[in-house]
Amino acid sequence: MVQKILCVAEKPAIAKAVANHLAGGHVNTVGLEALDLARLSLISLQRSIQGNQYVKNYEFDFAFGPPWGNCSVTMTSVIGHLNGVEFEPNYRKWGSCAPEHLFDVQVIETVDDDKKPLADNITQQARYAKALFIWTDCDREGEHIGAEVRQAALKGNQRLQVKRARFSNTERAHVLQAALNPIDLDERQVNAVAARIELDLRLGASFTRFQTLELQRLGESLADRVISYGSCQFPTLGFVVDRYFRVKNFVPEQFWSIKVVHKREGIDVAFLWRRHRLFDRMAVTLLFERCLSARTARVSKLQKKPTSKWRPLPLTTVELQKLGSMFLRMNSQQVMKIAEDLYTKGWISYPRTETDQFDKGIDLRKLIEKQVPDQAWGAYAQNLLNGWFRTPRSGRNNDQAHPPIHPVNYVVPASLSPDERRVYEFVVRRFLGCCSEDAKGESTTIEISYGDESFHANGRLVLQRNYLDVYTYDRWESSQQLPTFQLNEVFEPTEATMTEGETGPPGYLTEPELIGLMDANGIGTDATMAEHIAKIQERMYVEVRSRSGAGRENATEAATRGTRGGRGSRGSRDSGQGGARADGTTSGASGVLEFIPTTLGCALIEGYDNMGLATSLGKPFLRKEMEVKMKEICAGTKARREVVQEVLEGYREVLVTAIRQVNVLRAVSFFCILLAFGGRLAREYY
């Protein structure tokens, strides 16, 4: 008798793609009533399971590896998580208990009402199966969804063998390889996600009830408002508020500098002062007078050397979100939604990955070959195959689950939607750029001694653009060429002046900067950062606007390095009026989103900060510690219950203190009731 294998994917689109690959296109969809068989497609009969129009059961035969061999297969799917967690019925009402008691009451796991048809379908199909193959995404969340699928299947068949397919894209050969080499579910990752889900419920419910019930007593605009809390949501808001106060409290400082210009061969060469600038006018005046007294300057150093601009690292989720929000005219949540769609359609690899290094076993040339037909970058891809190919750089990160984001198949861009086209093109160009040679150039440095001071001028000549020809999101241009100077040459500068200016404030936090801060501080995962950013907007804790003036090259640098600084900072002395700002951007472009907290957003963060807590909820430290503990569960060094109790104890101390100091939160929030709340920015009132 032919054995039956039940396969369950995380999404209907993945189920359809996998079924078509395993069946070679010969797929039947079951659960149909009377149909005209002459009209049935061998690929798919578009009939849903009972209770959900999107999920189908596909039937076909496939020859698995030992011990299963040739089997009858039913392929179906879920739509994300099947289960949810909630408190016992007696504790679900807001006034049922004190908020702090929610740390200890029992939590129960149930199948969500809208997912019951999916769970019932899995239970029913499992009754006739020998084994269950799980095809959920290969990450922590996917592992837990796989455990939920297993739970539903075992209800129908306790003797079921359970395996999972390890895959990172839906390209046919990759899917076949995953089907023939199944592995076990990672129980440690399952437990880590279970711990996180329980903690999110307990912490979110307890703090949300506390601050909502207390602040609703102030009446007016807060009377009917749910003021939600999330352990990732609040640190994300804290970053925005912190930068807002740095801008608001910035105190400009006056500085002075010395500028030297010499005209030669029709070129005005500007020499920069090695001290850059000083904040003491008298000191600069004395140094400037010494320069004038010397009258002549001497060339003390003359250097020409090769220089290069490195090609980009392989693409990670965080980089896709940051750069997508800068260059693709969409926010990070939109970028990830479109990347997910391109993945499920089989055009790119799994878009949720921390890995920035390609495994040596991946045939990169074969992937490049698939891009040759394209009219925009096909010729460049062909040149890579003809000898331009270089092994991509390797970053420091490897999540051991997925490769960097890359194209797995070619699709004619015209067949995609405009947004899909932009994301697909970015992924392709980034991949081709990774496989290219660095851009090459020559740099020239001239240093002069003028009086007791040193000045320098730099020039750059781009000789070979290389990867820049395909990865058009980077800029590296030749500067004005320097005229000829001789070492130890003495000349009288054409112009020497003493200049003055003042420092400028940093800009409000941009989305790329916010993602960088979240990543550096362990707030959310690469898969959830965009959701947390969207949540603080949905809750009207922040508002978003397009920044006018975010230079392309400098914006990229700012996004990749992150920022730091405290509330009430005087700002950076390295930012001058009319020059580069402290956040690394320059004028000249638009479209980058920046975040400004609303009055309520400021009030919440300031309220907790003013309570004298050892660790404020607006800071990233508690959540970062929680994420470290999740990794310890995954590594097997700590148990789930141990981690849950440790994290709860840390937050319990914060909640108890907040309850005692609630008047501080009320006082800071009181002015909210004076405002017409919807959409007004905090800067209008602070």
Side-chain angles (χ1 to χ4, degrees):
M1 181 178 177
V2 177
Q3 298 184 101
K4 177 178 177 180
I5 301 290
L6 173 61
C7 294
V8 182
E10 188 172 324
K11 309 175 186 72
I14 298 297
K16 180 178 179 180
V18 171
N20 279 330
H21 289 323
L22 297 186
H26 298 279
V27 181
N28 284 331
T29 305
V30 299
L32 304 178
E33 300 172 358
L35 292 173
D36 181 358
L37 296 181
R39 299 175 59 191
L40 301 184
S41 166
L42 289 177
I43 301 299
S44 173
L45 303 177
Q46 299 298 318
R47 181 58 63 92
S48 308
I49 68 167
Q50 185 175 2
N52 191 292
Q53 60 178 319
Y54 301 108
V55 176
K56 301 175 178 64
N57 291 342
Y58 302 92
E59 284 200 348
F60 52 90
D61 294 332
F62 182 76
F64 289 92
W68 296 284
N70 191 54
C71 297
S72 171
V73 181
T74 295
M75 182 88 202
T76 188
S77 76
V78 292
I79 304 177
H81 284 280
L82 284 174
N83 301 346
V85 294
E86 56 187 354
F87 299 115
E88 291 182 314
N90 292 341
Y91 297 98
R92 293 176 191 171
K93 293 183 179 180
W94 282 58
S96 58
C97 66
E100 62 269 27
H101 292 168
L102 296 178
F103 281 18
D104 302 308
V105 301
Q106 186 174 351
V107 169
I108 56 177
E109 182 178 9
T110 60
V111 178
D112 294 335
D113 289 342
D114 61 333
K115 302 297 179 64
K116 286 181 179 178
L118 310 185
D120 292 343
N121 179 53
I122 292 170
T123 301
Q124 180 68 23
Q125 297 300 323
R127 291 174 182 168
Y128 314 105
K130 178 70 173 179
L132 167 68
F133 276 31
I134 294 167
W135 289 79
T136 53
D137 294 340
C138 292
D139 56 17
R140 271 196 222 165
E141 214 69 26
E143 218 69 15
H144 192 273
I145 294 171
E148 295 172 4
V149 169
R150 177 180 60 186
Q151 183 181 32
L154 291 176
K155 287 182 180 179
N157 185 350
Q158 288 289 331
R159 298 184 302 276
L160 203 64
Q161 299 179 53
V162 180
K163 292 290 182 179
R164 79 110 71 236
R166 184 183 179 91
F167 67 107
S168 60
N169 65 69
T170 56
E171 192 267 333
R172 184 174 185 273
H174 188 71
V175 168
L176 294 177
Q177 185 71 12
L180 295 173
N181 297 276
I183 60 175
D184 294 325
L185 274 175
D186 188 334
E187 299 297 339
R188 293 173 177 175
Q189 291 196 52
V190 172
N191 288 331
V193 175
R196 192 266 304 159
I197 290 173
E198 179 181 346
L199 288 168
D200 284 350
L201 173 66
R202 293 188 185 278
L203 299 176
S206 57
F207 280 97
T208 296
R209 289 189 189 183
F210 159 67
Q211 61 193 27
T212 298
L213 294 174
E214 291 296 339
L215 296 183
Q216 280 183 346
R217 296 178 183 178
L218 298 177
E220 298 298 332
S221 60
L222 301 180
D224 300 319
R225 188 175 187 80
V226 174
I227 305 171
S228 72
Y229 168 83
S231 59
C232 286
Q233 178 181 318
F234 258 53
T236 302
L237 172 61
F239 292 134
V240 176
V241 173
D242 182 78
R243 176 64 70 84
Y244 165 75
F245 277 104
R246 286 182 58 194
V247 175
K248 172 184 176 292
N249 296 333
F250 179 81
V251 179
E253 290 185 83
Q254 201 167 12
F255 61 80
W256 291 264
S257 185
I258 300 174
K259 177 182 178 182
V260 175
V261 176
H262 186 64
K263 187 167 187 176
R264 177 171 293 186
E265 299 174 11
I267 300 173
D268 288 328
V269 183
F271 290 91
L272 304 177
W273 193 20
R274 173 169 288 182
R275 299 179 191 265
H276 188 38
R277 62 188 63 160
L278 296 178
F279 294 85
D280 186 326
R281 183 177 184 276
M282 182 59 68
V284 176
T285 301
L286 292 173
L287 295 173
F288 178 58
E289 288 177 349
R290 290 180 183 178
C291 291
L292 295 179
S293 298
R295 298 192 61 181
T296 60
R298 181 179 63 86
V299 178
S300 56
K301 181 180 179 181
L302 185 61
Q303 183 182 58
K304 283 191 176 185
K305 63 179 181 179
T307 186
S308 62
K309 183 171 178 63
W310 287 353
R311 60 198 185 277
L313 286 169
L315 186 61
T316 65
T317 303
V318 170
E319 284 298 299
L320 175 62
Q321 292 177 88
K322 290 195 294 188
L323 300 180
S325 66
M326 280 195 289
F327 300 134
L328 305 183
R329 301 191 301 279
M330 57 185 77
N331 62 44
S332 58
Q333 190 173 41
Q334 292 172 312
V335 171
M336 290 308 301
K337 171 64 170 61
I338 293 165
E340 286 276 2
D341 291 343
L342 292 172
Y343 158 67
T344 57
K345 293 175 182 178
W347 305 129
I348 68 173
S349 62
Y350 188 58
R352 301 185 186 277
T353 176
E354 299 175 7
T355 302
D356 55 7
Q357 50 188 254
F358 280 108
D359 187 273
K360 293 180 180 179
I362 297 179
D363 190 344
L364 300 178
R365 294 176 185 271
K366 184 177 180 180
L367 296 172
I368 294 171
E369 186 178 356
K370 293 182 179 181
Q371 298 299 324
V372 171
D374 190 81
Q375 294 182 354
W377 55 79
Y380 188 92
Q382 185 62 59
N383 286 333
L384 290 178
L385 298 174
N386 292 344
W388 290 7
F389 174 82
R390 297 292 183 273
T391 301
R393 296 165 55 205
S394 290
R396 300 179 179 179
N397 304 302
N398 190 334
D399 60 17
Q400 304 297 324
H402 298 287
I405 304 168
H406 63 275
V408 296
N409 283 303
Y410 175 69
V411 57
V412 178
S415 65
L416 301 173
S417 71
D419 286 346
E420 287 178 329
R421 191 180 311 136
R422 290 201 296 273
V423 175
Y424 179 74
E425 178 176 348
F426 178 83
V427 171
V428 172
R429 289 185 179 275
R430 174 76 173 223
F431 171 68
L432 296 178
C434 289
C435 299
S436 303
E437 180 64 85
D438 297 338
K440 303 292 186 181
E442 181 184 73
S443 68
T444 301
T445 300
I446 302 172
E447 291 188 5
I448 64 172
S449 296
Y450 186 31
D452 295 329
E453 300 304 302
S454 294
F455 300 81
H456 65 276
N458 298 309
R460 180 175 64 214
L461 175 63
V462 176
L463 301 175
Q464 300 174 29
R465 289 180 53 79
N466 296 329
Y467 89 90
L468 293 170
D469 285 333
V470 70
Y471 189 65
T472 55
Y473 310 94
D474 268 0
R475 292 287 179 85
W476 198 56
E477 306 291 349
S478 295
S479 64
Q480 185 180 38
Q481 293 305 293
L482 297 177
T484 303
F485 285 85
Q486 301 297 325
L487 186 63
N488 293 320
E489 172 189 350
V490 176
F491 63 91
E492 185 173 347
T494 306
E495 178 185 345
T497 55
M498 180 173 160
T499 64
E500 66 177 279
E502 65 177 24
T503 56
Y508 293 112
L509 203 64
T510 65
E511 187 168 25
E513 290 173 325
L514 180 55
I515 293 171
L517 285 169
M518 295 172 71
D519 181 48
N521 288 277
I523 303 303
T525 65
D526 53 4
T528 62
M529 289 179 188
E531 297 173 13
H532 300 313
I533 293 173
K535 183 63 69 175
I536 60 174
Q537 297 174 62
E538 177 187 323
R539 297 301 185 191
M540 297 203 312
Y541 295 159
V542 303
E543 292 194 350
V544 182
R545 70 182 184 190
S546 180
R547 168 179 287 182
S548 58
R552 190 178 226 171
E553 181 177 16
N554 290 334
T556 304
E557 295 170 357
T560 56
R561 68 171 179 262
T563 53
R564 292 185 181 272
R567 197 161 301 143
S569 166
R570 298 188 72 185
S572 170
R573 287 190 169 194
D574 292 333
S575 58
Q577 190 177 40
R581 297 170 66 167
D583 61 353
T585 63
T586 60
S587 60
S590 62
V592 178
L593 299 178
E594 62 182 11
F595 297 91
I596 302 175
T598 61
T599 308
L600 180 60
C602 284
L604 289 171
I605 297 301
E606 286 291 280
Y608 284 112
D609 282 358
N610 292 342
M611 286 181 181
L613 299 168
T615 303
S616 174
L617 294 180
K619 302 299 182 184
F621 309 118
L622 284 172
R623 178 65 200 203
K624 186 174 184 177
E625 183 180 355
M626 184 193 303
E627 182 57 30
V628 170
K629 294 181 185 297
M630 296 300 112
K631 292 180 179 179
E632 289 177 334
I633 296 177
C634 292
T637 58
K638 284 195 174 181
R640 170 188 167 183
R641 295 313 314 169
E642 179 185 5
V643 165
V644 169
Q645 290 306 313
E646 287 179 358
V647 173
L648 287 178
E649 286 309 307
Y651 277 91
R652 190 192 307 272
E653 181 180 344
V654 173
L655 181 57
V656 170
T657 302
I659 291 172
R660 289 200 304 262
Q661 299 287 329
V662 68
N663 286 335
V664 176
L665 181 62
R666 288 179 185 167
V668 175
S669 303
F670 178 72
F671 66 88
C672 287
I673 68 174
L674 304 177
L675 306 178
F677 193 84
R680 301 175 76 175
L681 303 185
R683 68 178 184 275
E684 299 177 15
Y685 306 104
Y686 272 85

